[in-house]
Amino acid sequence: MKTVSSEYSDAVARILVVGGGYVGMYTALRLQRTLRQELRQGTVEIVVVDPEPYMTYQPFLPEAAAGAISPRHVVVPLRRVLPHCTVVIGEVTAIDHDKRRATVSTLAAEQAGAAALTVAYDELVLAPGSVSRTLPVPGLADVGIGFKTVEEAIGLRNHVLEQLDIASSTRDPEIRDAALTFVFVGGGFAGVEALAELEDMARYAARYYHNVRPEDMKWMLVEATGRILPEVGPDMGRYTVRELRARNIDVRLETRLESCEKRVVRLSDGSRFPTRTVVWTAGVKPHPLVAASGLPLTDRGRLKCTAALQVDGVAHAWSAGDAAAVPDLTAPPPATPDAPRATCAPNAQHAVRQARVLAGNLTAALRGGEIRNYEHAYAGSVASLGLHKGVAHVYGRKLKGYPAWFMHRAYHLSRVPTFNRKARILAEWTLAGLFKREIVSLGSLENPRAEFELAAGTGRHNETS
């Protein structure tokens, strides 16, 4: 891998891309094409910094959790798709934009006990994305499970199947009830799709347990507001509630999680349930690096940006996606001149399109060309509710059931990066339609040295088949 110097070079313009998610990866991918000549001549260098060596295509996490897609096909290796960029696996811990310096903590530096790497840059693309927005709910930090990464998705799948194993092997009704109660907090895309896909999978898996029936399981969705899936509109949101309740899923609107201490969930409506599964999907917030960058922020903690995706009032700084508040030029103007203009929703649809415009504007800035504004009317949203079930509100048209589910798959298949990933995912869907689902839990993957440690410490080992 190419090394990164901490010094400037008058002959080379260095672009530092912080974050390898939607915005970071797609911006770097586009820059590879638009700056092909400069990269070949060595007058431009693109450095991408991210804690993980891959980009996660998050809309496919629910299907990965349900076993419909292999986890390795939900992620895109950065080094493979960005061969003309310098990819640094590390975390940017500080930015001094006045001096054009970024401090990067890498695993190699930690192992060697050395100082963090200092990277000099000429242009900054700050796109660290978002993190889960948690609340001070007693017990949440101890038992909560998130749903933003592929590791969390696969860990949740293993956990759900493990609960079925626990329930099938005990006669204690309290342990059994707790194992078969699954609580999801948050009625947005992540919560609804994860709940629907995993309930679908667990209902199918129950046929292989002689003493666990689908009606024995209790699935619950807790939402603090009066509606779920606001992106698909109120009609489709109400349809989704009816669809989930028809599947015996307990949907509780205008209800908050008060506590989950000692494996007991307490809700604001006074009810309490013993459970071993609490999945937290109640929103996200900008990455902490955004607040520490010293760049101008909105009152909601996002970077204040112009429609051209430049950080407002700051030269040589760009942003888009979850971390940026970009004016929505397609929205109606504010009622009063003093009122703030509406901003683009922090979702994948805008992030991918913003990345293309950002890369084009950055190329134009380096070459002295014309910079254009980002303008895209929101096309709508699609959501999967399990195998052959879904809802969609696209270009004013409302779909539900199989057509919406098919549109969900077709849309996201067209958007996932690289032909390689598209072909592999399509092949997996085809095979899944011909063969039975896999319901095996590989929870031991989360602690791969457990077997060796047991054998080394006691001389015993687990029985193997």
Side-chain angles (χ1 to χ4, degrees), residues 341-358:
R341 191 180 188 100
T343 58
C344 297
N347 56 39
Q349 183 180 147
H350 280 301
V352 173
R353 289 174 168 82
Q354 287 172 355
R356 295 172 184 166
V357 175
L358 194 160

Side-chain angles (χ1 to χ4, degrees), residues 208-220:
Y208 297 102
Y209 293 83
H210 70 280
N211 58 350
V212 176
R213 299 173 300 171
E215 52 267 30
D216 295 335
M217 293 182 280
K218 184 177 184 62
W219 294 81
M220 180 181 299

Side-chain angles (χ1 to χ4, degrees), residues 149-437:
T149 67
V150 67
E151 293 85 359
E152 288 174 329
I154 304 312
L156 182 56
R157 168 186 169 83
N158 292 332
H159 175 82
V160 169
L161 292 174
E162 184 181 77
Q163 301 316 301
L164 298 185
D165 291 331
I166 291 173
S168 68
S169 59
T170 182
R171 294 184 178 180
D172 188 321
E174 292 186 3
I175 295 177
R176 180 182 170 90
D177 289 346
L180 294 179
T181 300
F182 307 94
V183 180
F184 287 68
V185 183
F189 274 113
V192 172
E193 290 190 323
L195 167 63
E197 291 281 358
L198 285 165
E199 188 274 340
D200 210 25
M201 178 204 70
R203 185 161 21 87
Y204 175 87
R207 68 182 66 183
Y208 297 102
Y209 293 83
H210 70 280
N211 58 350
V212 176
R213 299 173 300 171
E215 52 267 30
D216 295 335
M217 293 182 280
K218 184 177 184 62
W219 294 81
M220 180 181 299
L221 178 65
V222 179
E223 168 56 38
T225 67
R227 58 189 290 194
I228 65 173
L229 293 182
E231 297 87 351
V232 298
D235 291 341
M236 290 295 96
R238 287 190 289 269
Y239 165 81
T240 303
V241 171
R242 293 195 300 270
E243 168 70 17
L244 295 178
R245 286 174 174 168
R247 290 160 57 175
N248 203 30
I249 296 174
D250 187 356
V251 180
R252 302 204 176 195
L253 304 178
E254 297 182 343
T255 306
R256 297 181 306 278
L257 175 66
E258 298 285 355
S259 169
C260 50
E261 292 181 301
K262 298 180 180 179
R263 297 189 182 276
V264 176
V265 162
R266 290 181 173 83
L267 304 179
S268 59
D269 61 6
S271 56
R272 61 189 299 277
F273 305 92
T275 180
R276 298 172 58 89
T277 309
V278 178
V279 184
W280 181 267
T281 61
V284 295
K285 63 181 180 180
H287 193 282
L289 177 63
V290 173
S293 67
L295 299 175
L297 306 178
T298 66
D299 55 356
R300 295 191 176 184
R302 298 167 70 190
L303 287 167
K304 188 180 297 184
C305 293
T306 67
L309 305 174
Q310 295 173 300
V311 177
D312 194 14
V314 181
H316 309 290
W318 311 75
S319 187
D322 291 356
V326 179
D328 185 357
L329 300 184
T330 65
T336 62
D338 297 333
R341 191 180 188 100
T343 58
C344 297
N347 56 39
Q349 183 180 147
H350 280 301
V352 173
R353 289 174 168 82
Q354 287 172 355
R356 295 172 184 166
V357 175
L358 194 160
N361 285 347
L362 187 47
T363 300
L366 292 175
R367 292 177 176 175
E370 182 182 356
I371 292 177
R372 66 188 183 93
N373 290 335
Y374 172 76
E375 185 172 355
H376 169 69
Y378 191 57
S381 299
V382 291
S384 171
L385 301 179
L387 189 62
H388 299 161
K389 297 177 283 289
V391 290
H393 190 182
V394 181
Y395 293 116
R397 301 193 63 181
K398 302 172 185 178
L399 299 174
K400 55 188 178 183
Y402 184 88
W405 171 83
F406 182 82
M407 178 175 287
H408 172 270
R409 283 197 162 185
Y411 173 78
H412 287 299
L413 182 65
S414 70
R415 290 294 180 264
V416 71
T418 78
F419 176 78
N420 179 296
R421 285 292 176 275
K422 297 180 195 294
R424 289 178 181 271
I425 291 173
L426 185 59
E428 286 193 313
W429 283 340
T430 302
L431 292 174
L434 299 175
F435 301 100
K436 295 180 179 180
R437 287 192 184 200

